[in-house]
Amino acid sequence: MRVYSKRAKRMQGTTGVPGDKSISHRALLFSALSENGSLVRNLGPGQDVRSTAECLRRVGVEIVPEGEATRVRGVGLSGLRPPVKELDCGNSGTTMRLLSGVIAGARVGGHLTGDASLSKRPMKRVLEPLRQMGAVAKGQRNERGDEVAPLDIEAGHPLKGVRHELQVASAQVKSCLLLAGLFAEGETTVREPESSRDHTERMLRALGAPLSFGMDGAVAVHRPERPLVAPEELWVPGDPSSAAFLVAAGLIVPGARTELVNVDVNPTRIGFLRVLQRMGADIEVVSSGERAGDPVATLHARGDATLRATDIGAGEVPSLLDELPILAVVASQAQGTTTVSGASELRVKESDRIVQMVKGLRAMGANIEERPDGFVVHGPCALRGAGIDAAGDHRIAMSFAVAGLCADGETQVEGAEWADISYPGFFRLLASWSEDAIRLG
Ligand code: S3P
């Protein structure tokens, strides 16, 4: 499917964004591991979250719709069953990495598969530390000496706690190991070079898991003495990574006004808001309380301010990792040179996002250079419509549809259906906010 995008004369709207993808995966997984389960409201509607739900069903967890919400029946830490079939994680790295920790810890075994994109992504970063803990787990060797899906985790091997020093900050790897640590004998500790998103820590703690935090930023867990207890209802806050596209649309179209309600503003997730404010963007963040233990807010973006370039370095990257593609689009409209460094993790996401953003924005006439660990954009750039390939990546598809809103001529993005991974209905919404500057074909 293609999405066509052209210069928007208008951009105005207000919406709640879908439930946060990261929190949704965890709401399903952690409720399943609790003794009582939970009623999850505002679960992310994307395909990735469905992959987690389907895999959990295959290890014996009942997950059923209840009105607009989702009922997860808890089985406790010892209630998972060996999977009836392979565990198909689809396009979802979070599903594969977090589930690996659970499957290894619960000793039920499993064969984890993924689509073409997921089957290229590095998995040694979870397999190696799980092996150190005693798991018998392997992937397929690839040409870079890494291991990739399909992964095989053998049943029946007990784990022991280990201290892990991660080479790169990764919430997925950290969460995998903390989950495995819930089942292990002794203490499991994880330390990252920079702090990644902390949803696992916050949510597991709320369920009564014995987590502790070191002065050096490390987090430790051991097997709980009492069963985990989930909140009766868990209301997933809006996804800031999805909101970022609508914030950007509200900044790059002159005169635009966009408003996003109930968006998660956990500090480990909103580096993009801090960067945009530094760039001079007219953004207001109005606090509206708390959901699932995270602060939430209404975001107001207005397209009247002149944007200035900025520098984004390694320390800031984990807090805006998934937003860098759309930030590249915004940077193309800012005055001056924006540099992004310390972001080589972008190369191993759903696509090589450095390559795809540089290639696509260049095709649209932007002055952008690739760096091994990021990119450099010289703005402001007069963009023109071009043919873009989403490269099997939801965030690339959405970024270029938004870029087309401030370009001359028509931008055609091939692979529009990939947006369903995180934000089904995104293009229809943007069409209605822009008097059809966006259309699907
Ligand atoms: C996620 C962590 C991030 C992010 C991904 C979701 C998570 O990856 O890019 O989209 O839910 O834990 P890292 O593992 O690189 O932090």
Side-chain angles (χ1 to χ4, degrees):
M1 203 192 343
R2 273 194 189 157
V3 60
Y4 300 86
S5 167
K6 63 180 187 196
R7 187 180 292 285
K9 296 193 188 73
R10 179 174 178 274
M11 173 57 60
Q12 188 154 18
T14 174
T15 189
V17 289
D20 184 66
K21 187 155 80 70
S22 287
I23 296 179
S24 296
H25 288 296
R26 289 161 173 81
L28 293 174
L29 269 165
F30 304 170
S31 301
L33 297 178
S34 72
E35 66 164 1
N36 57 328
S38 198
L39 185 68
V40 185
R41 298 196 182 277
N42 200 36
L43 188 71
Q47 189 51 48
D48 271 11
V49 175
R50 286 172 194 262
S51 294
T52 290
E54 197 43 45
C55 287
L56 283 171
R57 289 191 185 103
R58 289 193 175 184
V59 288
V61 180
E62 204 184 315
I63 299 176
V64 288
E66 196 170 299
E68 301 220 309
T70 305
R71 169 73 60 192
V72 184
R73 298 205 197 281
V75 297
L77 286 173
S78 49
L80 295 180
R81 289 200 311 256
V84 268
K85 286 210 261 176
E86 88 272 3
L87 298 168
D88 181 0
C89 304
N91 188 247
S92 174
T94 310
T95 307
M96 185 166 279
R97 296 197 177 112
L98 270 59
L99 203 63
S100 293
V102 173
I103 295 296
R107 304 188 217 170
V108 293
H111 179 70
L112 287 80
T113 61
D115 71 3
S117 148
L118 182 55
S119 301
K120 286 197 207 118
R121 298 181 62 186
M123 293 297 151
K124 196 168 165 183
R125 48 178 69 188
V126 292
L127 294 174
E128 189 64 48
L130 286 174
R131 286 192 286 259
Q132 282 164 18
M133 294 175 78
V136 176
K138 64 175 186 344
Q140 318 298 310
R141 297 263 163 209
N142 74 358
E143 66 289 350
R144 294 191 310 271
D146 208 312
E147 282 174 274
V148 293
L151 313 183
D152 281 294
I153 301 179
E154 262 185 32
H157 299 279
L159 304 188
K160 59 176 189 314
V162 165
R163 182 179 172 94
H164 304 281
E165 298 279 345
L166 304 190
Q167 297 308 305
V168 284
S170 163
Q172 294 175 354
V173 176
K174 172 178 63 179
S175 303
C176 164
L177 301 174
L178 292 176
L179 284 165
L182 281 179
F183 300 85
E185 196 193 316
E187 191 164 76
T188 301
T189 305
V190 186
R191 201 169 75 94
E192 304 181 277
E194 275 99 27
S195 306
S196 62
R197 64 193 66 190
D198 64 357
H199 303 304
T200 295
E201 296 90 309
R202 285 178 183 239
M203 293 173 76
L204 280 181
R205 240 193 168 181
L207 267 64
L211 255 67
S212 55
F213 300 88
M215 295 294 282
D216 58 353
V219 51
V221 69
H222 55 84
R223 200 188 278 159
E225 273 157 26
R226 285 184 294 278
L228 301 179
V229 181
E232 248 164 59
E233 279 193 21
L234 231 157
W235 207 100
V236 180
D239 195 327
S241 301
S242 298
F245 296 101
L246 300 170
V247 167
L251 298 178
I252 62 171
V253 176
R257 298 277 182 276
T258 61
E259 182 185 271
L260 299 322
V261 300
N262 279 327
V263 179
D264 189 294
V265 289
N266 174 320
T268 62
R269 293 292 301 281
I270 52 159
F272 77 100
L273 289 177
R274 292 187 284 266
V275 164
L276 289 171
Q277 280 168 340
R278 194 159 86 213
M279 293 173 82
D282 187 351
I283 296 179
E284 208 184 330
V285 180
V286 183
S287 168
S288 56
E290 235 186 67
R291 298 271 199 215
D294 266 2
V296 291
T298 300
L299 313 181
H300 300 266
R302 301 179 197 87
D304 303 325
T306 304
L307 301 170
R308 296 184 300 272
T310 190
D311 296 319
I312 301 173
E316 215 166 18
V317 163
S319 70
L320 45 69
L321 191 58
D322 293 341
E323 292 65 67
L324 282 168
I326 190 63
L327 278 173
V329 173
V330 176
S332 77
Q333 301 307 297
Q335 312 263 357
T337 299
T338 294
T339 61
V340 174
S341 56
S344 41
E345 274 298 291
L346 285 182
R347 296 202 180 273
V348 291
K349 291 293 173 188
E350 287 82 330
S351 69
D352 181 335
R353 288 181 174 161
I354 297 180
V355 165
Q356 297 307 329
M357 288 315 297
V358 169
K359 191 164 96 183
L361 279 173
R362 272 219 182 127
M364 293 182 77
N367 186 351
I368 178 167
E369 293 151 29
E370 180 174 343
R371 293 278 186 270
D373 62 342
F375 49 83
V376 177
V377 194
H378 307 279
C381 314
L383 298 184
R384 52 173 191 272
I388 305 287
D389 179 10
D393 187 330
H394 53 133
R395 301 205 197 276
I396 299 295
M398 292 190 276
S399 294
F400 283 103
V402 171
L405 297 171
C406 65
D408 283 335
E410 189 175 67
T411 298
Q412 304 168 14
V413 185
E414 189 67 68
E417 65 281 4
W418 285 100
D420 290 353
I421 287 292
S422 58
Y423 201 159
F426 173 74
F427 298 120
R428 274 195 308 280
L429 178 78
L430 214 49
S432 73
W433 284 11
S434 64
E435 283 171 357
D436 296 326
I438 296 256
R439 82 187 155 81
L440 282 164

